[in-house]
Amino acid sequence: MSSTAAPPPSGQATSAPGRSLSAWWQAAPLTLVFVLFFLIPLALILMVSFWDFNEYDLLPGFTFKNYISIFDGCGNTAELCVTLKTYLSTLKFSFLVWLITLVVGFAVAYFLAFHVRSQGMQTLLFVLCTIPFWTSNVIRMISWVPLLGRNGLVNQTLVSIGVVDTPIEWLLFSDFSVTLAFVHLYTMFMIVPIFNSMMRIDRSLLEAANDSGASGWQTLWNVIIPLSRTGIIIGSIFVITIVMGDFVTIGVMGGQQIASVGKIIQVQTSYLQFPLAAANAMILLTVVLMIIFALTRMVDIRKEL
């Protein structure tokens, strides 16, 4: 004797998953934190970016003066304006650091996920990767100075073994030293999400690829990389957004000689030009959001996670 469930009364609506009152109460604390510490400060920065200022005071009002001054001279097609040059310099560092950290981070994550069999050894090696984070970023940057300086350990070694006759000048306070410091500081932000994605790959897929006659490179390109794309995108977002807004690393390792958007904002705030700095911050935020939007179009992160 078969029985069928009686349909709910027509006047009684079924509650949709996640739409109940308790679900909204559970989301309320995080929403409150998000509003207080992100949306409200962002709205204040946007508001201040339209204010005027002088040497002594902020002048509340509404003016496009700050945005116009930022792009002053950018209409000249003969030469790039200062703003575009600064953004190109910042994007150059972001691209170089992203590329190097992606290669290094993917290689380290691949080794930990597929070549280290013991879970205890994986944990130990992973902890070793985090050791640089046990100290301050500034200390880690300063540690490169006695190595890369004109009279540093690297130059003294190269001169003593006869590789070069005079010390190499571009090892410190240059694009090279800035890129090296960025890679040193932020590679871990690429390793962690890629390693997490690789650990979720079903190992039977690798066995199936091997049984089908695929080479190691074919398995890597057609199986591992596509299944690791979520981690790659998340790591890329971390690295690119941090480098785009960084000013401490560029200031210390560039010898205060290399311009970046974050450095310009820091200088403007030090001179109390808060509306101009706020306008620059909003433009930088827009550029970063455009990059994040382009990256997230490559994979549905919410679905993959």
Side-chain angles (χ1 to χ4, degrees), residues 69-82:
S69 63
I70 290 174
F71 293 102
D72 185 29
C74 292
N76 184 8
T77 58
E79 184 180 0
L80 291 177
C81 62
V82 175

Side-chain angles (χ1 to χ4, degrees), residues 143-192:
S143 66
W144 286 106
V145 175
L147 290 176
L148 303 178
R150 195 176 191 281
N151 298 315
L153 181 62
V154 174
N155 270 320
Q156 288 182 355
T157 302
L158 293 176
V159 172
S160 63
I161 64 178
V163 176
V164 294
D165 297 327
T166 58
I168 301 174
E169 301 288 347
W170 52 262
L171 289 180
L172 188 62
F173 303 144
S174 62
D175 291 358
F176 170 79
S177 61
V178 171
T179 304
L180 179 63
F182 274 139
V183 172
H184 176 211
L185 294 175
Y186 303 131
T187 299
M188 196 63 188
F189 287 97
M190 191 70 78
I191 295 176
V192 173

Side-chain angles (χ1 to χ4, degrees), residues 257-273:
Q257 302 172 14
I258 299 176
S260 72
V261 182
K263 186 64 180 176
I264 288 178
I265 296 174
Q266 185 265 332
V267 171
Q268 289 170 342
T269 55
S270 66
Y271 284 101
L272 305 181
Q273 299 173 345

Side-chain angles (χ1 to χ4, degrees), residues 236-254:
S236 300
I237 292 174
F238 284 153
V239 171
I240 291 174
T241 53
I242 294 174
V243 174
M244 286 289 290
D246 187 280
F247 64 90
V248 177
T249 306
I250 289 183
V252 173
M253 300 304 294

